[in-house]
Amino acid sequence: MQKNKVSTLIYVLLPFFFIQVYSQKVEKSKKPNIVYILTDQWRGSALGYAGNPNVKTPHLDSFAKESVNFTNAVSVTPVCTPHRASLLTGKFPTSTGMFLNDIYLPSEELCMAEIFKSEGYNTGYLGKWHLDGHGRENNVAPERRQGFDYWKGAECDHNYNKEHYYANNDPEIKYWEGYSPFSIANDANQYLSNHAQDGKPFLLLISLATPHFPHNSAPEKYKEMYPQKDLVVAPNVPDEMKEKVLKELQGYYAHCTATDEAIGTVLDQIKKLNLLEETIIVFSSDHGEMMGAHGIKPFVKQLAWDESIRVPFLIRYPKIGKNSGTTINAPITTPDILPSLLGLTNIKIPKTIEGENLSNLIQHPDPNFDRVALVMGVSPFGANINDASYRAIRTKQYTYIRTVDGVSTLFDDLNDPHQMTNLADNAAFKNVQKKLDEQLNKELKKIGDDFKSKEFYLKKWNFTLDEKRKAIDYWSWLEGKGTVQSPRKN
């Protein structure tokens, strides 16, 4: 009789045992979520944790203490569309043809969301897209969203107090309520809540269009925090530009602080939902802007100066432990981001990806480690149409730039952080320059880029729109007189 009772008990409890074991196995094997926060035109120096004497970014300052900080993150081509295409594909602009703004990222390209989706991830995108090339106000059709399923996005809009978007499969235009970073953050928080317990990992890309100009549209509450008379201007801004720069900085920093507050609500939501230890969180930007440095007027980017190419890059991953608040001084460039995320999630890296997997460096940060990061200006356009195309590399100490005509610039960024002394062809740096030139050639060889003239690449990728007209179209859009159209559509 006792034996039968034991057998019955085993029979009753055995299913619960297997359920428990299975649950633990599923929990153990579940891949981490990814929340990628992408901002627009946020300079790497414009944050409190980066030592900026003006700007107030308390939420990101706190997040930096929990993260690994790449102090020399650079945008592969410092302008919106090229960076975003490179982020999603892990490829260089010369390999995809995505080196201009307002052009279409072909559906044939294997992209971030498609890769994670194939591994069982839910995928969501919120905010500015700028990869569709069908007009800035047009709906990005579902089949052109590169694997993102949940969608509240727009091609491009910088009217932050009436920013439009399209929701999922609804073709009707909608508008974010109030100041868009707050509304987008609220929607992100709802997405997090909806997916916190559904058993599947998720990839959520939150694309905030601030602090990109217009700067005067920042909420007054935040502009009042930055009286122009109290702002400190960088020493590489000439005196004759300081008045204009101070005016723009007031609104720029106001956008930064407001956006920091919006991001803070997302970080708080992740903690409230107990997702922190199962979520990789990234904060970054697509590029910076010159803001008067070296006499280049505000709003301009595309150049290889630090103000344009250097962006913030904080990454927090599950069980970060003793690596919280550590820095990596070795540079990271845009194509490295996707393979590094794949490395952190133990997903096989497709052969199409050209960037380097830096997941081991992220998990074992070494501030003394160095590497080379490639940056390129393939065919400058718009305000930069008369600028020379270039290829450049960044190390933890140097920026080295070459145009089609030869060596252009060499900066020692450690000893000259504002890049005010060009060391190119300086006899004392002859060996340094020679080594950097060899490293640049090596990086170009890896991706099969022979570094030809801008006309070569325009012809190769069938961009038939006249360059001069493209510049006029670009500035017409800035003045609110029209929409830039893409010469390549699908």
Side-chain angles (χ1 to χ4, degrees):
M1 181 68 70
Q2 186 67 29
K3 185 176 180 180
N4 288 339
K5 286 184 178 180
V6 171
S7 298
T8 302
L9 188 61
I10 292 174
Y11 179 80
V12 171
L13 294 179
L14 200 57
F16 293 99
F17 171 77
F18 283 118
I19 289 171
Q20 182 70 18
V21 170
Y22 176 76
S23 299
Q24 290 175 350
K25 185 178 180 181
V26 169
E27 183 66 27
K28 185 177 180 180
S29 64
K30 181 187 174 186
K31 294 187 180 299
N33 310 308
I34 297 175
V35 175
Y36 197 105
I37 303 169
L38 177 65
T39 57
D40 194 343
Q41 207 151 301
W42 200 321
R43 298 163 66 171
S45 61
L47 292 128
Y49 71 80
N52 188 287
N54 301 304
V55 71
K56 299 172 179 65
T57 52
H59 300 283
L60 288 167
D61 294 351
S62 295
F63 182 61
K65 295 175 183 177
E66 304 174 0
S67 307
V68 173
N69 175 14
F70 278 83
T71 62
N72 285 302
V74 291
S75 178
V76 66
T77 295
V79 68
C80 297
T81 297
H83 174 92
R84 291 157 189 266
S86 187
L87 172 65
L88 294 192
T89 63
K91 297 170 72 173
F92 286 86
T94 46
S95 299
T96 60
M98 298 296 292
F99 50 80
L100 302 171
N101 260 1
D102 300 285
I103 57 177
Y104 173 66
L105 177 61
S107 58
E108 292 79 10
E109 293 291 349
L110 180 62
C111 290
M112 178 188 287
E114 294 168 319
I115 298 169
F116 281 99
K117 190 175 174 179
S118 71
E119 293 289 328
Y121 277 69
N122 288 315
T123 58
Y125 195 97
L126 298 169
K128 176 180 171 178
W129 179 247
H130 215 171
L131 290 168
D132 194 52
H134 289 66
R136 294 191 171 190
E137 293 184 3
N138 286 351
N139 183 17
V140 180
E143 65 271 16
R144 300 199 301 267
R145 295 173 185 170
Q146 304 291 357
F148 286 102
D149 290 331
Y150 180 83
W151 178 272
K152 285 191 177 178
E155 174 65 352
C156 183
D157 191 348
H158 291 287
N159 183 356
Y160 306 124
N161 297 298
K162 193 181 178 182
E163 185 176 334
H164 80 279
Y165 70 94
Y166 294 88
N168 298 312
N169 295 321
D170 187 347
E172 294 297 317
I173 193 168
K174 294 177 173 55
Y175 296 90
W176 295 108
E177 183 179 350
Y179 185 65
S180 60
F182 293 136
S183 293
I184 293 171
N186 288 340
D187 202 275
N189 290 338
Q190 186 60 55
Y191 181 94
L192 292 169
S193 180
N194 291 345
H195 291 274
Q197 304 297 333
D198 67 1
K200 290 181 67 176
F202 59 82
L203 164 68
L204 177 63
L205 204 158
I206 306 167
S207 178
L208 304 173
T210 47
H212 188 289
F213 63 87
H215 301 142
N216 62 3
S217 64
E220 288 299 321
K221 168 186 172 181
Y222 300 94
K223 285 196 286 188
E224 290 171 1
M225 298 170 67
Y226 297 101
Q228 293 180 34
K229 63 181 179 61
D230 296 338
L231 299 179
V232 178
V233 176
N236 57 11
V237 177
D239 290 341
E240 62 271 19
M241 295 195 73
K242 287 183 178 178
E243 184 177 350
K244 179 175 178 59
V245 168
L246 286 170
K247 180 181 177 182
E248 295 301 332
L249 276 178
Q250 181 182 40
Y252 184 79
Y253 289 145
H255 276 314
C256 289
T257 298
T259 307
D260 171 83
E261 188 171 312
I263 292 170
T265 68
V266 175
L267 299 176
D268 286 344
Q269 178 76 333
I270 292 171
K271 292 175 183 176
K272 288 176 184 175
L273 294 171
N274 296 317
L275 293 173
L276 199 59
E277 292 312 314
E278 52 188 85
T279 304
I280 296 168
I281 310 169
V282 178
F283 162 71
S284 191
S285 179
D286 53 6
H287 53 79
E289 72 151 270
M290 293 306 297
M291 194 61 79
H294 310 288
I296 309 297
K297 60 185 177 183
F299 313 155
V300 174
K301 44 265 188 185
Q302 298 192 57
L303 301 168
W305 299 100
D306 189 78
E307 289 82 5
S308 172
I309 67 171
R310 196 164 72 84
V311 295
F313 193 88
L314 299 176
I315 182 165
R316 191 194 193 285
Y317 58 90
K319 299 178 175 60
I320 187 171
K322 64 180 180 180
N323 294 332
S324 295
T326 57
T327 59
I328 295 175
N329 296 317
I332 183 173
T333 189
T334 317
D336 300 326
I337 297 170
L338 176 54
S340 299
L341 292 175
L342 294 173
L344 287 171
T345 51
N346 294 313
I347 295 175
K348 184 178 180 181
I349 298 171
K351 291 181 180 179
T352 55
I353 288 178
E354 297 174 328
E356 184 178 347
N357 173 14
L358 300 181
S359 60
N360 187 61
L361 178 61
I362 292 169
Q363 293 173 303
H364 304 92
D366 178 359
N368 298 312
F369 177 76
D370 202 6
R371 65 186 296 269
V372 170
L374 180 62
V375 177
M376 54 178 60
V378 180
S379 181
F381 61 90
N384 300 82
I385 197 166
N386 294 318
D387 293 329
S389 57
Y390 64 85
R391 302 293 184 272
I393 55 170
R394 183 72 175 245
T395 69
K396 70 176 184 177
Q397 182 165 3
Y398 296 106
T399 297
Y400 177 68
I401 309 166
R402 203 169 71 202
T403 70
V404 288
D405 296 322
V407 178
S408 168
T409 317
L410 169 60
F411 292 118
D412 181 343
D413 299 317
L414 286 182
N415 296 301
D416 179 24
H418 296 286
Q419 298 180 323
M420 299 177 75
T421 304
N422 185 1
L423 302 172
D425 297 324
N426 184 315
F429 287 82
K430 179 180 178 181
N431 291 335
V432 170
Q433 182 172 316
K434 182 175 183 292
K435 181 181 178 182
L436 290 169
D437 198 66
E438 291 171 350
Q439 289 176 309
L440 174 55
N441 289 333
K442 184 178 179 181
E443 294 304 307
L444 294 177
K445 186 176 180 180
K446 284 181 185 177
I447 60 172
D449 180 19
D450 295 329
F451 188 14
K452 298 183 182 294
S453 69
K454 63 174 74 174
E455 291 76 17
F456 170 85
Y457 298 94
L458 290 169
K459 184 177 180 180
K460 175 182 177 180
W461 293 98
N462 299 316
F463 293 116
T464 57
L465 191 63
D466 179 76
E467 283 193 67
K468 183 177 181 182
R469 181 150 183 266
K470 179 118 181 118
I472 293 170
D473 281 349
Y474 182 75
W475 287 106
S476 294
W477 170 77
L478 290 183
E479 295 167 3
K481 297 176 182 177
T483 300
V484 182
Q485 295 295 327
S486 170
R488 177 172 75 180
K489 291 186 178 182
N490 195 0

